[in-house]
Amino acid sequence: MVLDRARAAVAPVTSLGWTVAAIGVAAWVVGARLDWEELLILAGACLVVLAVSLAMTVGRLALTIDLSVEPHRVVAGGQDAVGLVRAVNERARPSLGARVEVPVGAGVATFEVGTLAPGGRFEEPFVVPTQRRSIIPIGPALSVKGDPLGIARREVSSGRQVLLYVHPRTLVLPPITAGWIRDLEGQTTNDLSTSDVAFHTLREYAPGDDRRHIHWRTTARLGTMMVRQFVDTRRSHLGLVLATDEGAWADDDEFELGVSVVGSLGRTALLQDQDVSTLSGSDPIASSTPDLLLDGLAGVARVADGAALGELVRRSLVRLRSASIVALVVGSAADPAAVRAACSHYGPEVSVLAIRCQPGSEARRRRIGNVSMVDVGRLDDLARVLAVVGAR
């Protein structure tokens, strides 16, 4: 029992507090042996500071704290988000004051709450800078009692964590599938199928064929059982692949341009009610709505051990098997020959758009087989280049 109480008494002591205590003990031991008065004074000062710091942690932390941020989604560099911290004393006695700390990303916003009467409220707004694309965790808020030096502190977590999504800058682009088949059948391929909506031809019945596809009129005329043969179709489905390997990008600004390109392509397609599948490296990003897509892109980053382009494309084949067009977005550090070789894995029935991002470069387009190679120097160039691609 005594040991438990002792542990509870020293629980608020921080690592700095234990350092102060160690210095005090060492100074007392050395000062007592050498009869060194200055060290004994230092030991006494450490003891007093530690005792005062522990005394400042005494008292109940009874504040109810609520945290809100508006808006929850912003565009990088467009507008700052505003947070609001509210503290309420729900006790029947006055609150003697406390410090409220709100973690904001890697930093901490600190608010000094004075004495609050029963039912008293404290409110204070704070601004969250949103210059760079990111997902910023805010909260949960902490009620803190302790000394200003951080020698001893006691804290209670209150509320919940809020996520602020700082989206990449995007543009609404012209349709990148202009001239494509958009009816029920989608775009046909050369892949034969036993069941689809695009009729191709008739062939002789083989064991295992679905009898619902037997063409009885031709069977009666030829005396041989004939079944319908179909070809697979592809609906208007956009696949987006963002290379995340550090070796494909020259710097962070170039990668930010690439993320904005992916966001612009996906957002435009979703606003036109097209299917979109997005991969950041080999990781899928939810793409059912523009907000979900941009939320996912807010958190993507370059990685040191990302997959090479060829391996990245091969991994994407399973998730993008129904895509009718695929856009592969890379940086200027990616070798054009390697990009073309990687895109060849998608096959001739898929239109491939390989976009190389290099801030400040001149926008241009060239076509090699079923691959359109596009160089983009600014996000604003993307609409003009894609208008040329769509008009082909």
Side-chain angles (χ1 to χ4, degrees), residues 308-314 316-317 326 328 330 335-347 352 354 371:
L309 288 178
E311 179 62 22
L312 175 63
V313 169
R314 283 191 291 270
S316 72
L317 291 176
V326 173
L328 174 64
V330 299
D335 180 47
V339 175
R340 289 195 298 270
C343 291
S344 65
H345 293 292
Y346 287 114
V352 183
V371 180

Side-chain angles (χ1 to χ4, degrees), residues 46-371:
C46 290
L47 177 62
V48 170
V49 168
L50 187 60
V52 171
S53 298
L54 283 171
M56 296 180 70
T57 66
V58 176
R60 292 185 61 185
L61 293 170
L63 295 179
T64 300
I65 303 176
D66 180 47
L67 183 65
S68 62
V69 179
E70 291 294 337
H72 288 284
R73 296 180 173 94
V74 297
V75 178
Q79 67 178 113
D80 290 331
V82 178
L84 181 64
V85 59
R86 301 183 186 89
V88 181
N89 178 21
E90 296 183 344
R91 297 176 62 193
R93 293 179 295 175
S95 168
L96 299 181
R99 184 168 69 252
V100 174
E101 296 181 354
V102 179
V104 181
V108 177
T110 303
F111 307 90
E112 295 295 336
V113 181
T115 301
L116 293 179
R121 299 172 62 89
F122 168 88
E123 292 187 358
E124 187 166 337
F126 59 96
V127 176
V128 183
T130 56
Q131 297 302 311
R132 300 288 292 182
R133 173 187 58 83
S134 60
I135 300 177
I136 303 177
I138 302 175
L142 300 174
S143 299
V144 180
K145 273 188 172 294
D147 65 286
L149 299 179
I151 293 176
R153 63 179 278 145
R154 191 159 56 88
E155 60 187 39
V156 174
S157 178
S158 180
R160 60 186 177 84
Q161 186 180 74
V162 178
L163 294 180
L164 171 62
Y165 293 93
V166 184
H167 289 173
R169 189 170 75 91
T170 58
L171 298 175
V172 177
L173 306 169
I176 62 175
T177 56
W180 285 16
I181 298 174
R182 298 192 185 185
D183 59 2
L184 174 64
E185 292 188 356
Q187 183 170 354
T188 60
T189 70
N190 293 324
D191 300 328
L192 296 180
S193 172
T194 59
S195 178
D196 209 304
V197 295
F199 174 74
H200 176 58
T201 187
L202 294 173
R203 63 169 175 81
E204 289 189 10
Y205 175 85
D209 287 340
D210 191 337
R211 296 197 176 191
R212 292 175 298 176
H213 297 149
I214 296 175
H215 196 274
W216 294 107
R217 184 172 299 179
T218 304
T219 297
R221 180 167 55 87
L222 298 179
T224 302
M225 194 171 292
M226 304 293 291
V227 296
R228 297 179 182 88
Q229 176 75 68
F230 302 88
V231 291
D232 283 339
T233 60
R234 295 179 185 270
R235 303 184 189 279
S236 187
H237 185 171
L238 174 64
L240 299 171
V241 181
L242 174 66
T244 55
D245 181 35
E246 285 187 348
W249 305 90
D251 51 39
D252 288 337
D253 290 337
E254 193 170 278
F255 185 69
E256 291 304 313
L257 176 57
V259 174
S260 292
V261 167
V262 172
S264 298
L265 292 171
R267 179 185 172 205
T268 298
L270 289 168
L271 291 175
Q272 296 168 357
D273 295 324
Q274 297 181 31
D275 293 333
V276 176
S277 297
T278 308
L279 297 176
S280 170
S282 302
D283 300 322
I285 294 177
S287 306
S288 56
T289 66
D291 280 343
L292 284 177
L293 170 63
L294 296 178
D295 286 351
L297 290 176
V300 302
R302 295 192 294 164
V303 294
D305 55 349
L309 288 178
E311 179 62 22
L312 175 63
V313 169
R314 283 191 291 270
R315 293 180 184 178
S316 72
L317 291 176
V318 176
R319 296 187 181 274
L320 304 181
R321 64 177 63 184
S322 62
S324 52
I325 184 170
V326 173
L328 174 64
V329 181
V330 299
S332 63
D335 180 47
V339 175
R340 289 195 298 270
C343 291
S344 65
H345 293 292
Y346 287 114
E349 71 278 1
V350 179
S351 294
V352 183
L353 193 63
I355 303 176
R356 296 177 71 243
C357 301
Q358 184 177 12
S361 66
E362 182 180 355
R364 60 174 180 167
R365 179 187 69 89
R366 55 195 183 278
R367 184 156 183 87
I368 304 173
N370 67 324
V371 180

